[in-house]
């Protein structure tokens, strides 16, 4: 599963780059922004996983962002730093559209935040994602 982690990191980086530079989606998905040496070493399976996640987040950005916004207590999404926002987006998208254990999604998000975020980012992201998880699990139970 290490390849999935690499794929999530690549998707996170793409979404960070997209938010910062507002580049066209096709440029993101072609990985034109990745260093040539790293791109040459990129496993096709990781690339496919990342592309699907990037495209999925962007295609569903309104739904993903709305869910993030609902769980930001006294905080506005426009004030989030880009690292936290990108991690929250891929994680919420995974909650909604991937059949992955929520604990794995949250653990991966915390790991990415620890590696790329500010010192306390992982605590903030963990809190938001745990709140999203609880809401989604509660609404899933209500539908049954």
């Amino acid at each position: 599963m290490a390849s999935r982690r690499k794929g999530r990191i690549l998707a996170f980086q793409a979404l960070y780059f997209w938010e910062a530079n507002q580049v066209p989606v096709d440029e993101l998905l072609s990985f034109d922004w990745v260093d040539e040496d790293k791109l040459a070493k990129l496993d096709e399976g990781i690339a496919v996983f990342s592309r699907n996640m990037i495209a999925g987040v962007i295609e569903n950005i309104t739904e993903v962002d709305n869910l993030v916004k609902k769980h930001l207590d006294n905080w506005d999404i426009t004030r989030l730093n880009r690292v936290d926002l990108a991690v929250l987006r891929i994680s919420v998208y995974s909650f909604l559209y991937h059949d992955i254990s929520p604990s794995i999604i949250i653990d991966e998000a915390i790991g990415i935040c620890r590696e790329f975020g500010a010192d306390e980012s992982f605590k903030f992201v963990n809190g938001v994602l745990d709140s999203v998880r609880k809401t989604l699990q509660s609404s899933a139970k209500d539908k049954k």
Side-chain angles (χ1 to χ4, degrees):
M1 283 299 175
S3 64
R4 289 285 171 119
R5 175 155 173 88
K6 289 178 184 177
R8 284 185 187 92
I9 290 171
L10 187 57
F12 148 75
Q13 291 171 328
L15 292 169
Y16 177 92
F17 185 73
W18 178 70
E19 181 69 24
N21 300 296
Q22 295 301 309
V23 296
V25 175
D26 60 329
E27 186 176 321
L28 282 180
L29 299 179
S30 66
F31 300 125
D32 291 344
W33 49 275
V34 176
D35 177 85
E36 283 187 37
D37 291 335
K38 289 182 181 179
L39 192 58
K41 297 176 187 174
L42 183 62
D43 177 84
E44 188 57 31
I46 295 170
V48 169
F49 177 78
S50 294
R51 282 186 186 105
N52 288 336
M53 185 167 279
I54 296 162
V57 170
I58 293 171
E59 287 170 14
N60 297 285
I61 196 73
T62 302
E63 180 183 16
V64 168
D65 281 359
N66 284 340
L67 194 52
V68 169
K69 288 175 193 176
K70 287 180 187 175
H71 296 276
L72 296 175
D73 294 332
N74 302 313
W75 202 255
D76 187 80
I77 197 167
T78 60
R79 293 185 60 213
L80 292 179
N81 73 50
R82 290 186 178 124
V83 169
D84 293 351
L85 181 58
V87 171
L88 287 169
R89 283 175 167 164
I90 63 170
S91 301
V92 169
Y93 173 77
S94 293
F95 281 150
L96 294 170
Y97 296 101
H98 291 165
D99 188 22
I100 301 171
S101 167
S103 62
I104 291 173
I105 294 169
I106 293 172
D107 286 348
E108 289 287 330
I110 289 169
I112 292 170
C113 282
R114 285 181 189 258
E115 187 172 345
F116 296 98
D119 290 341
E120 301 296 314
S121 275
F122 74 95
K123 292 179 183 178
F124 170 75
V125 168
N126 182 47
V128 173
L129 292 177
D130 192 50
S131 179
V132 171
R133 176 193 58 81
K134 287 175 184 173
T135 297
L136 292 174
Q137 286 178 338
S138 176
S139 66
K141 286 180 185 176
D142 291 345
K143 290 179 182 178
K144 289 182 180 180

